[in-house]
Amino acid sequence: MTPLDICGQRLAHQHLARQSLEKASEVVALLGAVQAQDYSGAKWGLAQRTQGATESAVEKEITDGAILRTHVLRPTWHFVAPADIRWMLKLTAPRVKAILAHYDRQLGVDAAVLRKSRAVLTKALRDGNQLTRSELARELTKARIRADGTERLARLMMHAELDGLICSGARRGKQFTYALLDERVPPTKELERDVALFELAIRYFTTRGPATIDDFAWWSGLSKTDARRGVQAAETRLEHEVVGGRQYWFTHAARSTKAKSPVARLLPAYDEYFIGLKDRSAMQAKLERSGVKPSDDFIFSRALIIDGQIVGGWKPALKGKSVAVELMLLTVLGKAGRRSVAHEVERFGAFLELPATPPVIEVAA
């Protein structure tokens, strides 16, 4: 396999090359977990992998609880499916808590504080009550639990999420709310640890492969030992190939993924196409051959890719009742590439349910 082959398979596996899924919740279930600290961008990332879900349709699925937003895997926000949230938290939360331990001590968050805060949160959210973070901060303060400062309050809420006590509720206007997980999600079957490792590995390599065990460990937050155990458990369902001295694992399907015309995608910040991998060199191969080294800004902000290769960055701009997209290119695009980008801009406008104006293109010096 070449870097272009690797990127072609990843595009296909993530439904970025062709879309057959209708709902954003189907995408979340397929990918296992989707980083969602950039909330608006993450919604576009889900819709982009569907046949045409709009922002309002994605938001409704979140409101209805078909998609949950919580802290899982690495210590950041992720979208997860209700059927997966409990076993995934049980598997990954201990590692996240170990990462948080040092900062917990600095913030004075110990076992006694967490025990008391869990009791307050349970009482405040009982019987379907969904409250914002500021409302819950007042309840904690009334119980004489310090909830001052963004970090300390965030830490208390994060621990409650990792313990499987709370998860996202329906948004109230532009404000996020929290709900009790047991009231939001019906009981689900528990998975034994080895079964959970197998399941997480299958989800990962089915959608992010070809990828390495190091990539899987980075994405999942698991130890290298557990990541290797997951791959070993899933080995009969996967293929592997050594490329450039690295062993890549992937599923049997979608080996031939070359599209007839260029496939352009406007990826949001922290999109799983990037953030799901520790080694992102394959998607920079074409630029680097031309002597261009993309900065991390194009990976952790908004990247424009064509056929899985970074070609620049983008940003949206609302103009009255339409949306414009400004492009910063790192290379010159041919006619076919420009047509593909223009089509993708139209898809972005359709997601927002707004007409899209032709993209404004700048080429970096």
Side-chain angles (χ1 to χ4, degrees):
M1 289 189 296
T2 67
L4 297 186
D5 294 329
I6 290 172
C7 290
Q9 287 197 47
R10 288 171 179 167
L11 284 178
H13 292 154
Q14 288 201 26
H15 288 241
L16 284 168
R18 297 181 183 86
Q19 293 74 43
S20 60
L21 304 176
E22 294 184 1
K23 295 181 178 180
S25 55
E26 295 177 90
V27 177
V28 174
L30 178 76
L31 296 182
V34 176
Q35 190 158 328
Q37 67 200 75
D38 175 9
Y39 183 70
S40 296
K43 288 189 292 182
W44 163 234
L46 296 180
Q48 200 172 36
R49 291 164 167 87
T50 70
Q51 292 182 336
T54 62
E55 183 177 29
S56 58
V58 179
E59 188 70 49
K60 185 177 188 305
E61 288 201 88
I62 295 169
T63 295
D64 293 344
I67 299 170
L68 303 174
R69 184 171 179 259
T70 193
H71 282 87
V72 69
L73 303 185
R74 308 175 305 282
T76 190
W77 293 105
H78 282 83
F79 287 138
V80 292
D84 297 327
I85 189 169
R86 289 191 178 93
W87 70 259
M88 207 172 284
L89 281 171
K90 184 178 178 181
L91 180 64
T92 66
R95 288 276 293 180
V96 179
K97 289 182 179 182
I99 294 171
L100 300 179
H102 173 70
Y103 301 100
D104 286 345
R105 288 191 292 271
Q106 289 183 335
L107 293 167
V109 174
D110 57 20
V113 169
L114 291 174
R115 186 168 54 252
K116 190 175 180 181
S117 68
R118 281 194 293 267
V120 173
L121 294 174
T122 300
K123 182 179 179 181
L125 295 172
R126 188 176 294 149
D127 299 325
N129 205 17
Q130 298 185 7
L131 299 177
T132 65
R133 183 174 288 199
S134 59
E135 289 170 337
L136 290 171
R138 288 196 288 271
E139 294 299 318
L140 290 165
T141 301
K142 281 194 286 186
R144 298 185 179 180
I145 301 171
R146 275 185 47 223
D148 55 314
T150 303
E151 279 193 59
R152 197 169 197 277
L153 175 60
R155 193 54 52 86
L156 296 175
M157 303 305 294
M158 192 184 300
H159 273 283
E161 289 175 306
L162 293 170
D163 288 340
L165 176 69
I166 64 173
C167 64
S168 59
R171 283 219 296 174
R172 192 189 305 162
K174 292 187 177 182
Q175 294 190 76
F176 296 98
T177 70
Y178 291 89
L180 290 177
L181 177 60
D182 284 347
E183 292 187 352
R184 188 85 159 138
V185 180
T188 50
K189 183 180 178 181
E190 288 192 14
L191 299 184
E192 296 293 333
R193 181 173 176 78
D194 284 347
V195 176
L197 286 171
F198 164 83
E199 182 62 36
L200 199 63
I202 284 294
R203 298 283 186 95
Y204 179 79
F205 289 102
T206 297
T207 55
R208 278 81 170 181
T212 67
I213 290 177
D214 282 347
D215 291 326
F216 178 44
W218 149 254
W219 174 80
S220 64
L222 296 172
S223 68
K224 189 79 81 63
T225 299
D226 277 341
R228 193 173 291 111
R229 284 178 64 191
V231 172
Q232 288 171 346
E235 193 169 1
T236 57
R237 298 264 299 272
L238 300 172
E239 294 184 47
H240 58 90
E241 185 173 327
V242 176
V243 181
R246 296 188 180 98
Q247 190 170 56
Y248 286 83
W249 296 84
F250 48 94
T251 52
H252 302 286
R255 288 189 64 89
S256 179
T257 56
K258 180 65 177 174
K260 293 181 179 179
S261 58
V263 176
R265 293 291 175 255
L266 300 169
L267 298 182
Y270 308 107
D271 189 83
E272 288 294 323
Y273 181 74
F274 295 113
I275 209 66
L277 299 154
K278 184 177 182 181
D279 175 15
R280 306 177 182 106
S281 59
M283 56 198 69
Q284 304 175 33
K286 271 193 172 181
L287 282 179
E288 290 186 349
R289 283 205 298 266
S290 303
V292 179
K293 173 70 174 176
S295 71
D296 285 345
D297 290 344
F298 290 99
I299 295 174
F300 297 114
S301 55
R302 300 180 185 93
L304 168 63
I305 62 170
I306 293 185
D307 293 337
Q309 295 289 299
I310 298 173
V311 297
W314 68 284
K315 64 178 181 179
L318 291 176
K319 295 187 175 181
K321 294 183 179 180
S322 65
V323 62
V325 170
E326 299 174 7
L327 305 176
M328 175 59 72
L329 299 181
L330 297 171
T331 186
V332 177
L333 300 183
K335 286 184 179 179
R338 285 175 177 257
R339 282 197 300 269
S340 182
V341 170
H343 176 67
E344 181 68 356
V345 170
E346 290 176 2
R347 286 184 73 217
F348 181 62
F351 164 72
L352 296 174
E353 298 180 84
L354 292 171
T357 60
V360 178
I361 300 175
E362 295 181 24
V363 178

